[in-house]
Structure formats: C-alpha cells, structure tokens
Amino acid sequence: MKYFSTRGGDERLSFEETVLTGLAPNGGLYIPESIPSLPADWKTKWSSYSFVDLSVAVLSLYISQDEISTAELRSLVEKSYATFRHPDVTPLKKLDDKTFVLELFHGPTFAFKDVALQLLGNLFEFFLLRRNARKAPGEKQEKLTVVGATSGDTGSAAIYGLRNKANVSIFILHPKGRVSPIQEAQMTTVTDDNVHNVADIVKALFANKEFNAKHRLGAVNSINWARILAQTVYYFLSYFNFQAQLPSGTTDVELQYVVPTGNFGDILAGYYAKRMGLPIGKLVVATNANDILARFWKSGKYEKVDSSVSHGEGATAPVEGSSDGKQATDASGVKETLSPAMDILVSSNFERLLWYLAFEHAEGSTDAEKKAAASKTLDGWMSHMKSNGRVEVPIPVLETARKDFIAERISDDLTLQTIKSFFEGETSYVADPHTAVGLATARRIAPANSPNVYQIVLSTAHPAKFSEAVSRALEGSPSFNFDRDVLPKEFHGLLDKEKRVIDVERADIELVKAVIEKVAEKEGASKEIAGSV
C-alpha cells in the first residue's frame, strides 16, 4: 500500500514515510492509493476478536508485511493498549433500548486521543530505532522533534504517547492560565527527559522557515494518517459488541454513529470503516457553536464565517432552532464553548473527505486520470479557502456528501441540559460536555429515524476532565457528588505532584526558539526528521 497527497503530485510514500512525514510538502494530507475491502469471512472470523486482534487485522490491510511483519505489528499494538484501564479498550455501554455510548476515554489521559497517540508514539520509536540500527558506525542518528501548540487534551495525550520514547523529543506549548488545572497537571507533571512543556503559545514559530528547516519541526495535530487508521478499529469493535447485546433473533438493524467532532478526524475514521465494508448507516456530525461542518451540510459552503446571516461581533447565528446567544470569541474568530476540544475555525481533516467527494465527480477514463482531476479540484478548493476564507462546492458534490453524513449544531445551554437529563435518567450516566453534544444531537435526529435504527454516540473524554461544565450542569441535583460520581482515583493528588514547565515572559517567537535551541544543543546535534502527531 502506498500513500499520496490530496493535492496531487507524483510522490508515492510507504506507510513508514507517511507516518514520519505527517503533512505533505505541497500542503496536502496523505491518503491511501485505495481503500481495501474487508475479507469475505470478516463477520464470522472477527466477531470474537479483542481490540488488539481487530487492530492487527484492520491495520494489516493498510500496512505491507514488508514494512511491518504481523508479529511486529502485534507487539506494537499490545504495547500501545496495555496502558488502557478497560479490558475492551473502548467499551460499549447501553443507555436505553436504542442508544449506546462508545467510551473512548479509558487510556492514560482519559481522552479519545490516547487510542491513536499511544500507537503513534510506538510507531515513531519503532521506525527510528530500525533506521538508526541500519546506519554505519559513527553516522548521525535520526531524531524526531515534535512541537505542538495545544489548548488541552491533545498536549497531554501526545506527551503520554511520546514520553520516554527513544530518539524523540516533544515540546508542548500551552496557553498559560487558559487550560484547566487537570489538563495542565497532566502535561506538566510528566518529567521524562524527552518531554518539554512551554507555557505560552507561539503559532508564528511554524511560519519561520529558517528555524523550521534547521530543526525540521513537526506539529501535534490530527492530520497524521496513522491517527485516522488507529481510530477505525473501535468502529469495528463496537459493531461486534453491539451485535452481542441485541436480543436473540433481532434482524434488519441499522447502526447510526453520532460523533462529536471539531477537526473531523474521529468521524473520518468511521467513513473509512464504512468504505471498507462495515455495514453502518449515516454518520452524524455533532458540532458546538463552532459549526463550520454543520453549515457545510446545510448549504455546501465551507467557510470560516457564516455568510448567510448578519450578526454582531461575538454572536452566534442560530442553526435549526439552536441558539447560543452572545458568546466570547477569540482573536481567530473561534467561539469559546463548554466543549473546548471542538472549538476550531477550520476542520483540518475535512480535506480528506473533500478529496473523495471530488473524486466521485471527477472526469477521466482511468483511475489515475480521475485521481489527478480530483487532486486538482481539491487543490483549487483549498487555495480558495485559504485566500477567501470560504469555498462553495457544486450541488451534486453536496448531495454526495449528504448520502453518508448528517450534521447538527448544539448550543451550550442544550449541552448543560443534556448532561443533567442523562444523569437523572433511568440509567444514570455522567457525560462530559463533548459527549453531551453527541447525545443531544442523537436525541434531536432520533424522531426522524426509522424504527430499526440504533444509535452509538462516541464518548470522547472522561467527565472529570471538564469538571466546571459538569458541576455547573448538575449543581441543582441533590444526588450528585463530584468526588464520588466523577473523579477517578488517578486524579487524586494530581495537582500536588511535582511539575516541570518552562515559562516564557511573553508570546515572543524568539523566546520559544531559544528554549528549543537550548534543549537541542544539550541533547546533541543529531540529525532530525519531521514528524507530526
């Protein structure tokens, strides 16, 4: 299996090169040359597989045995998911007769990002150790420097995925005083020698070509192909776990996955699973007030600012009866909500879906001609988006997108109401605000579903990571006790642990560059390669 950029070009990369490169030189995202089909006997053969077994089976369809043998792949997968607290890794819980939640937060940092980043960290180490073992004595060793700016969960998940990994250094830049105490503690209490926390965000660092070329910086984000691939696995596991929970003799069932998403990576994994042959219905995009995705499925316009309404600075435009009122908006235009992991302006992984939509409507007599035409179209769309902040796809393209997806937007008020109603429900369940966006979306669209449709809502984070929102939603519930009902034992004493963080005086690119230069000098002038997580 080879991989190519969504924006075209003759470059064809191996899986190893794709993982270590992250973002294509032309700005595109890597996708497989083809989406493999499931083996004919997958329904019976895979039905009793564990998460590890399914990971090996699914990943093997995308990774050549010449790159990673089955034994090596199994070892990597077992190592990655040994850190999870639940034997199923991503267990499925039943809330009512038609609604289930797929819990993705049983990894070391209590967030869904652990599923992909634990594996990605081990892949990085595996590839680098193998590359360096092949070098002649005295030849410079290859090293990966990962730099990421985070506002919360990505930073801690990346740190826990890369901590103590050979030949890897990670620098996490976080906004001082603007992440939750738990999120900050999860990052800054990791004191491994290869982990460096810097308190402040300097986005201009990545635009500095000279510095970037010297250190070959990689960004911590969700565009790395390995992250998408790892996430496809829990769609398969939940499918089998759902089948096992159905009453005997139940047939003609349709599964509908509801995914709270900002960067479109989690739901894109479901799209790949469906394209491979997993029998599921429409995928449901659940967004908060930062609703660029919901607006796309409504109008076909992919735009940073909603051009169809006129509203005051910082106000949010109502979508299908949902209104957040006036809300804080940061300098980029992103609205601050109770579900901050979804507070994005542009969904970085959406480009991959746009490529497949372009391919469906591309002209050409051969597959290669259609791929080239799709890449050209996609490149035009993304260039237009970059220069104008918006692009509108043709109606036939939008109609194709609507065949596989539904999208909804949920307000903060409804998010709080949903947390409360599920806690007080017959089967009491404490949801974090992101999961609540998914649950609210599932409820909203359920009346339009056929009687045979069952919903699986992806639960992306443990509620203890968002204590303020959960406590606010449940403050009037006399039966609620945060320490008893929510706080896991792993969080007890976390805020009191030793911390290691480098404070910079102000948001100055030169100050952050100096920090990275100093650490690089201390660690030695080994050869560095780019990588992203």
Side-chain angles (χ1 to χ4, degrees):
M1 178 74 75
K2 295 290 184 180
Y3 297 84
F4 67 98
S5 170
T6 51
R7 302 194 191 184
D10 297 328
E11 182 185 48
R12 294 295 182 270
L13 271 59
S14 65
F15 178 74
E16 176 179 335
E17 292 167 332
T18 300
V19 170
L20 290 174
T21 303
L23 185 68
N26 61 10
L29 306 185
Y30 289 112
I31 57 176
E33 282 198 305
S34 62
I35 299 176
S37 298
L38 299 174
D41 60 350
W42 74 274
K43 281 190 177 181
T44 54
K45 187 176 181 179
W46 293 6
S47 61
S48 61
Y49 276 12
S50 66
F51 190 92
V52 168
D53 295 332
L54 281 173
S55 292
V56 174
V58 173
L59 270 59
S60 294
L61 299 176
Y62 290 88
I63 306 170
S64 167
Q65 287 258 0
D66 295 335
E67 289 200 71
I68 305 177
S69 69
T70 301
E72 289 171 327
L73 183 58
R74 177 168 288 277
S75 177
L76 286 166
V77 169
E78 287 176 345
K79 182 180 179 181
S80 300
Y81 301 116
T83 58
F84 281 64
R85 296 177 301 280
H86 197 285
D88 287 345
V89 179
T90 58
L92 186 71
K93 285 192 175 182
K94 184 177 182 179
L95 295 185
D96 58 43
D97 289 342
K98 287 293 185 72
T99 312
F100 296 74
V101 287
L102 177 58
E103 293 186 339
L104 307 178
F105 53 73
H106 292 276
T109 72
F110 293 77
F112 84 96
K113 300 172 191 288
D114 288 326
V115 176
L117 286 167
Q118 285 294 305
L119 177 63
L120 185 56
N122 286 318
L123 285 171
F124 280 159
E125 184 177 54
F126 174 80
F127 290 141
L128 290 169
L129 286 172
R130 185 168 66 182
R131 286 184 171 207
N132 288 331
R134 294 169 178 170
K135 292 185 177 298
E139 190 176 355
K140 285 185 177 180
Q141 298 285 286
E142 294 191 19
K143 180 179 174 60
L144 181 68
T145 298
V146 175
V147 178
T150 181
S151 58
D153 283 343
T154 296
S156 57
I159 285 171
Y160 275 76
L162 299 180
R163 64 185 303 184
N164 205 29
K165 291 289 186 283
N167 304 305
V168 179
S169 292
I170 179 168
F171 294 81
I172 292 296
L173 317 178
H174 68 270
K176 189 174 182 178
R178 291 182 58 195
V179 298
S180 75
I182 288 291
Q183 290 173 323
E184 181 185 18
Q186 282 189 316
M187 292 186 284
T188 59
T189 57
V190 178
T191 57
D192 299 69
D193 289 342
N194 71 323
V195 174
H196 311 281
N197 282 282
V198 183
D200 224 326
I201 283 182
V202 184
K203 295 180 179 178
L205 184 67
F206 297 95
N208 188 302
K209 294 182 179 180
E210 182 180 349
F211 188 78
N212 202 335
K214 179 179 179 181
H215 291 277
R216 303 294 295 277
L217 303 181
V220 181
N221 50 42
S222 61
I223 56 88
N224 194 296
W225 165 249
R227 286 189 61 175
I228 305 300
L229 182 56
Q231 290 171 304
T232 63
V233 177
Y234 45 70
Y235 284 90
F236 287 93
L237 183 71
S238 60
Y239 170 82
F240 288 119
N241 285 347
F242 167 76
Q243 296 290 335
Q245 294 188 46
L246 278 177
S248 179
T250 305
T251 58
D252 188 29
V253 167
E254 180 179 315
L255 263 184
Q256 182 181 76
Y257 284 86
V258 184
V259 188
T261 188
N263 270 326
F264 203 73
D266 216 2
I267 196 164
L268 181 68
Y271 175 75
Y272 275 105
K274 184 176 182 179
R275 289 284 301 267
M276 291 168 68
L278 188 66
I280 57 180
K282 289 188 176 182
L283 294 155
V284 184
V285 179
T287 78
N288 61 19
N290 297 288
D291 59 348
I292 184 173
L293 294 171
R295 286 185 280 111
F296 171 81
W297 265 277
K298 181 180 180 182
S299 66
K301 297 174 183 177
Y302 186 54
E303 54 187 2
K304 295 179 180 180
V305 178
D306 190 351
S307 62
S308 67
V309 296
S310 176
H311 51 283
E313 183 181 357
T316 60
V319 174
E320 297 186 14
S322 171
S323 175
D324 296 295
K326 194 165 179 69
Q327 224 169 286
T329 304
D330 69 19
S332 71
V334 175
K335 302 175 184 69
E336 296 179 10
T337 74
L338 297 175
S339 44
M342 297 156 62
D343 289 351
I344 53 88
L345 196 63
V346 176
S347 301
S348 56
N349 269 295
F350 192 55
E351 178 170 333
R352 285 186 167 110
L353 177 65
L354 286 175
W355 186 91
Y356 288 106
L357 295 177
F359 180 79
E360 289 290 324
H361 297 272
E363 296 182 357
S365 57
T366 66
D367 187 66
E369 289 178 352
K370 289 188 66 179
K371 285 180 178 176
S375 294
K376 183 177 180 180
T377 297
L378 186 280
D379 189 42
W381 286 344
M382 299 315 293
S383 295
H384 201 75
M385 182 69 177
K386 183 177 181 180
S387 60
N388 301 307
R390 66 186 300 271
V391 66
E392 185 170 2
V393 303
I395 298 259
V397 172
L398 176 60
E399 290 174 346
T400 300
R402 286 173 172 168
K403 290 178 181 178
D404 289 312
F405 294 90
I406 308 170
E408 286 286 344
R409 167 192 159 181
I410 300 299
S411 70
D412 270 359
D413 284 346
L414 186 53
T415 298
L416 293 172
Q417 293 170 27
T418 302
I419 293 173
K420 183 176 182 179
S421 65
F422 274 90
F423 175 73
E424 296 177 346
E426 186 175 344
T427 302
S428 181
Y429 189 80
V430 182
D432 90 289
H434 305 82
T435 304
V437 168
L439 290 168
T441 297
R443 276 183 170 175
R444 178 176 290 175
I445 66 175
N449 287 338
S450 300
N452 68 328
V453 174
Y454 291 74
Q455 296 176 313
I456 293 180
V457 178
L458 272 59
S459 182
T460 56
H462 192 284
K465 298 203 75 170
F466 301 94
S467 57
E468 183 179 347
V470 174
S471 296
R472 179 176 162 190
L474 301 179
E475 61 185 356
S477 300
S479 61
F480 174 69
N481 181 288
F482 186 84
D483 287 353
R484 181 195 66 209
D485 299 328
V486 178
L487 195 67
K489 65 181 187 300
E490 290 87 349
F491 284 11
H492 288 280
L494 179 62
L495 299 180
D496 300 322
K497 285 186 176 181
E498 176 191 355
K499 296 180 181 180
R500 192 176 71 179
V501 59
I502 304 168
D503 283 307
V504 294
E505 296 176 10
R506 58 188 179 279
D508 187 332
I509 186 172
E510 296 303 323
L511 294 177
V512 177
K513 284 168 59 178
V515 169
I516 296 175
E517 292 274 18
K518 185 176 181 179
V519 172
E521 182 179 346
K522 180 180 178 181
E523 293 179 348
S526 53
K527 180 182 177 184
E528 296 179 353
I529 62 174
S532 65
V533 295

